[in-house]
Amino acid sequence: MSRRAVIISGGILYEELIEKTIGECEDPCIIGVDKGVEFLYRHRIQPSYIVGDFDSLSQEIVDYYKNETHVSVREYNPVKDASDTEIAVRLAITLGCHEMVILGATGSRIDHLWANIQTLTIPFKAGVEAVILDPQNKIRLIGGETHLRKEEAFGDYFSVFPLGEPVFGFSIRGAKYPLTEHTLTPYDSLCVSNQIEEDEVVIDFVSGIVILMETRDGR
């Protein structure tokens, strides 16, 4: 049975979503990332690992995990070549997790969000299913034929963007705005806010990596 990693990063965190995500897993590998560690500490959720430079975390919390628990602490110099979330993602892969959900990866800092979306490339290339999740957004990378079933849809809308380079032979079937053999380029907004029209949408393309965002309005 594949183990799921639940990574609690340092962006905006939603208590209900975190508790639901952890509760749906059997024996999850919970990795707290820098400021996300404070959330786990305050809500008495025991992580498997905590990672980061801890520059936004009180020394009291760091000392608690180091001295009063058996949680594995991976502390890094603030001057490093990877973000704390990337370090957590790589750790989850090293631990053999075949799925990962990243929470707290979105928020007011668009630079952090974009870095986290690009970080999804690491598990994607390792064959690990990974998703960034918050109450309004589900973000993942896809590399070929993908089905979105209307009855299982995360939200009312979906958008697709190429990651890094044009995507050739791109088609969408079963959507309000279908496409056939289109070249998806990094600089157009053609594929924003599409909707599932039929029982399912099929997204297919010949080459490249596509960012798939399933979204819904705030409630």
Side-chain angles (χ1 to χ4, degrees):
M1 183 179 65
S2 63
R3 193 179 188 195
R4 173 181 285 188
V6 179
I7 296 173
I8 313 297
S9 195
I12 296 177
L13 296 167
Y14 301 88
E15 181 178 354
E16 183 178 346
L17 178 62
I18 290 174
E19 291 179 348
K20 180 177 182 291
T21 302
I22 292 174
E24 290 174 344
C25 304
E26 183 177 343
D27 187 31
C29 177
I30 302 172
I31 304 176
V33 181
D34 210 34
K35 190 68 173 177
V37 176
E38 181 177 335
F39 179 94
L40 297 173
Y41 176 80
R42 300 296 181 199
H43 290 80
R44 300 186 179 183
I45 300 172
Q46 185 81 329
S48 309
Y49 295 82
I50 64 171
V51 304
D53 52 37
F54 306 138
D55 60 350
S56 57
L57 204 59
S58 73
Q59 192 60 45
E60 172 193 354
I61 294 176
V62 177
D63 290 343
Y64 166 77
Y65 285 109
K66 285 182 176 180
N67 303 324
E68 299 184 41
T69 74
H70 296 291
V71 172
S72 180
V73 178
R74 307 285 181 93
E75 186 170 3
Y76 296 84
N77 190 309
V79 182
K80 56 189 186 302
D81 295 329
S83 70
D84 293 332
T85 301
E86 180 182 332
I87 290 169
V89 165
R90 292 186 182 278
L91 172 62
I93 295 171
T94 301
L95 294 170
C97 296
H98 292 90
E99 298 177 61
M100 66 178 73
V101 179
I102 308 172
L103 307 172
T106 62
S108 58
R109 288 286 299 271
I110 301 301
D111 54 342
H112 287 173
L113 169 61
W114 184 242
N116 290 333
I117 291 172
Q118 293 188 117
T119 295
L120 290 174
T121 308
I122 298 166
F124 178 83
K125 290 186 174 181
V128 175
E129 295 183 19
V131 59
I132 290 172
L133 194 63
D134 71 20
Q136 277 76 54
N137 305 280
K138 178 181 179 182
I139 306 170
R140 56 190 166 119
L141 303 185
I142 57 175
E145 185 172 314
T146 300
H147 294 249
L148 299 177
R149 292 176 176 83
K150 194 167 191 175
E151 62 182 16
E152 301 171 356
F154 176 83
D156 295 328
Y157 308 99
F158 72 92
S159 301
V160 288
F161 308 92
L163 182 64
E165 58 186 20
V167 173
F168 299 100
F170 184 85
S171 298
I172 302 175
R173 301 188 299 276
K176 185 175 182 179
Y177 306 108
L179 278 176
T180 302
E181 297 294 320
H182 178 72
T183 299
L184 193 62
T185 61
Y187 47 79
D188 68 46
S189 56
L190 176 66
C191 293
V192 174
S193 295
N194 209 335
Q195 293 177 272
I196 301 175
E197 189 87 344
E198 300 178 12
D199 289 339
E200 73 172 10
V201 161
V202 180
I203 301 170
D204 197 14
F205 48 96
V206 175
S207 64
I209 302 174
V210 166
I211 304 166
L212 171 60
M213 298 186 179
E214 298 174 67
T215 58
R216 55 195 180 204
D217 292 324
R219 296 172 181 173

